[in-house]
């Protein structure tokens, strides 16, 4: 391992940048263990990898919660669990509000609009609401529609595919070995099974997780390797924003250098994947970190607010992309 540590950036330059082969688990760990004075080197390399294998375009997405709170699962990071004493209460939004949110998202130049629900998996009521919402959106807005509705049955996968859902998000959240410390009401394997069905149905797979949930660097590297094995179309990278009333409410926010090193490491493990800045980047990285991340391997962002936390104003991210000469991915190229 000492040899790998000594020249991991040089190894990654030849392996990932030149040949397009992602780093393996041990190599990702070596990147995560780099001293902070090597951060700029590895971010620069990650940016070069992103530009070579993905190009300069940035995919912009907005998200909306169709059903918020009251979830029966015990994901320890989530204020939407009905099992914790958190301030989030169960609520649904109506179809006109959903359509208006899609319109506002499209006005930012976003090509993706993701409908999210806080559930273990969708019941008939939720599936019918999603179907009605998608139909209403399609009648008024030209935008790709993604969904994140928890674990699915094969029948539900087929229904979403028939509705025209373009991409399905279902995060593995963390490495297989750390998952039991994060969720106990369902298994990592159950999530993996849903993702396999989604892929086999022909929908794009969106799968990422949250960094800073008490995992070791070894487990963070394991998580990158898990994702590389899955080979999703998109990986949203979240950073824990500790929520009051949850089991992880007292955890420390990830250090900015550690978060940025992770961004670079995941890019080097997944050279061709859409790597999306998601929740927690504001509290973890701030404005400077946003720029460093986009110049360090990130090629997609969620604009506006998240499910239960505030994000940056969409205009702030769009102005940043413009100043960095990063074109927003056009809708006609994704349809």
């Amino acid at each position: 391992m000492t040899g790998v540590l000594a020249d991991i950036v040089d190894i990654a330059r030849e392996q990932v940048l030149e040949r397009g082969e992602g780093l393996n688990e041990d190599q990702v760990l070596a990147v995560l263990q780099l001293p902070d004075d090597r951060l700029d080197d590895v971010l620069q390399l990650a940016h070069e990898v992103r530009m070579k294998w993905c190009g300069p375009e940035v995919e912009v997405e907005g998200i909306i919660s169709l059903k918020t709170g009251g979830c029966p699962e015990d994901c320890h990071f989530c204020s939407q669990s009905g099992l914790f004493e958190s301030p989030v209460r169960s609520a649904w939004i109506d179809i006109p509000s959903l359509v208006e949110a899609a319109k506002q998202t499209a006005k930012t130049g976003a090509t993706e609009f993701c409908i999210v629900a806080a559930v273990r998996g969708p019941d008939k009521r939720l599936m019918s609401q999603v179907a009605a919402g998608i139909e209403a959106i399609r009648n008024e807005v030209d935008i790709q529609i993604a969904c994140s509705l928890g674990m699915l049955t094969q029948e539900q996968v087929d229904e979403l595919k028939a509705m025209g859902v373009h991409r399905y998000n279902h995060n593995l959240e963390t490495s297989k070995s750390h998952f039991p410390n994060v969720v106990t009401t369902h298994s990592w394997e159950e999530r993996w099974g849903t993702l396999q069905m989604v892929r086999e149905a022909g929908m794009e797979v969106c799968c990422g997780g949250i960094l800073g949930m008490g995992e070791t660097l070894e487990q963070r590297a394991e998580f990158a390797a898990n994702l590389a094995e899955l080979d999703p179309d998109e990986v949203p990278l979240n950073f824990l924003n500790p929520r009051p009333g949850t089991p992880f409410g007292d955890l420390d926010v990830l250090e900015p250098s550690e978060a940025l090193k992770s961004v670079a490491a995941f890019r080097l493990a997944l050279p061709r994947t859409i790597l999306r800045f998601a929740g927690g980047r504001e509290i973890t990285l701030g404005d400077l970190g946003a720029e460093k991340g986009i110049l360090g391997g990130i090629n997609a962002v969620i604009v506006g607010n998240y499910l239960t936390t505030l994000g940056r104003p969409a205009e702030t991210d769009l102005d940043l992309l413009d100043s960095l000469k990063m074109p927003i991915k056009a809708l006609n190229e994704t349809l």
Side-chain angles (χ1 to χ4, degrees):
M1 179 59 83
T2 305
V4 176
L5 272 173
D7 57 357
I8 185 59
V9 176
D10 291 337
I11 290 171
R13 181 172 298 281
E14 195 277 328
Q15 178 179 322
V16 188
L17 182 62
E18 301 303 328
R19 303 204 310 267
E21 298 174 11
L23 298 186
N24 64 30
E25 186 173 338
D26 287 340
Q27 292 170 325
V28 169
L29 179 59
V31 171
L32 294 172
Q33 292 173 332
L34 283 170
D36 286 354
D37 63 9
R38 299 296 307 282
L39 178 59
D40 286 344
D41 294 341
V42 76
L43 286 173
Q44 174 61 33
L45 176 59
H47 179 62
E48 292 174 30
V49 167
R50 168 266 176 112
M51 293 295 283
K52 178 170 182 177
W53 297 105
C54 299
E57 291 182 326
V58 176
E59 188 184 273
V60 176
E61 178 183 47
I63 61 176
I64 188 73
S65 183
L66 179 60
K67 177 194 173 291
T68 302
C71 182
E73 305 305 289
D74 74 344
C75 305
H76 291 11
F77 54 84
C78 186
S79 58
Q80 299 200 64
S81 172
L83 305 177
F84 308 143
E85 291 296 326
S86 70
V88 176
R89 293 293 170 257
S90 182
W92 290 72
I93 70 166
D94 58 27
I95 299 302
S97 299
L98 196 65
V99 174
E100 182 58 29
K103 285 181 178 178
Q104 293 305 315
T105 296
K107 283 181 182 177
T108 69
T111 54
E112 287 280 329
F113 181 69
C114 187
I115 300 171
V116 183
V119 290
R120 177 184 174 90
D123 58 15
K124 286 187 177 180
R125 177 192 177 191
L126 180 55
M127 289 295 286
S128 65
Q129 283 283 94
V130 169
I134 289 175
E135 183 179 8
I137 291 168
R138 289 212 186 285
N139 287 337
E140 297 197 42
V141 190
D142 190 14
I143 197 165
Q144 293 275 29
I145 298 174
C147 285
S148 181
L149 311 172
M151 291 174 286
L152 302 174
T153 65
Q154 184 63 58
E155 182 182 2
Q156 290 167 337
V157 169
D158 296 340
E159 286 179 35
L160 291 171
K161 173 69 174 176
M163 290 176 203
V165 172
H166 156 69
R167 183 181 292 165
Y168 193 79
N169 164 257
H170 192 48
N171 289 339
L172 288 168
E173 303 300 8
T174 190
S175 67
K176 188 174 182 180
S177 68
H178 188 51
F179 190 86
N181 301 315
V182 178
V183 184
T184 68
T185 47
H186 60 265
S187 70
W188 195 89
E189 287 79 8
E190 286 176 284
R191 291 189 177 225
W192 185 273
T194 286
L195 292 161
Q196 295 299 334
M197 286 190 289
V198 166
R199 163 162 290 142
E200 288 165 10
M203 285 183 278
E204 289 191 5
V205 172
C206 171
C207 178
I210 305 174
L211 305 183
M213 296 194 294
E215 75 278 4
T216 63
L217 291 184
E218 287 80 7
Q219 287 170 324
R220 204 171 294 163
E222 177 196 346
F223 183 38
N226 295 151
L227 290 171
E229 181 184 352
L230 179 67
D231 192 24
D233 299 277
E234 175 189 338
V235 171
L237 269 188
N238 300 268
F239 305 97
L240 183 69
N241 183 347
R243 297 288 82 204
T246 67
F248 288 168
D250 294 327
L251 288 183
D252 292 331
V253 173
L254 209 58
E255 288 293 326
S257 61
E258 201 174 336
L260 288 169
K261 234 174 278 179
S262 299
V263 168
F266 276 67
R267 169 52 69 205
L268 295 175
L270 302 155
R272 295 173 177 82
T273 300
I274 297 170
L275 192 60
R276 188 181 298 279
F277 252 160
R281 63 186 168 106
E282 297 80 12
I283 189 173
T284 305
L285 296 169
D287 291 343
L288 178 63
E291 179 174 338
K292 277 185 168 286
I294 290 169
L295 293 177
I298 292 291
N299 65 330
V301 294
I302 292 176
V303 294
N305 295 330
Y306 304 105
L307 300 178
T308 60
T309 58
L310 298 176
R312 285 153 52 99
E315 296 77 16
T316 304
D317 279 325
L318 299 177
D319 288 346
L320 174 60
L321 296 178
D322 183 60
S323 70
L324 296 176
K325 303 293 188 289
M326 298 286 178
I328 295 173
K329 188 174 183 182
L331 181 62
N332 61 8
E333 293 180 14
T334 63
L335 289 175

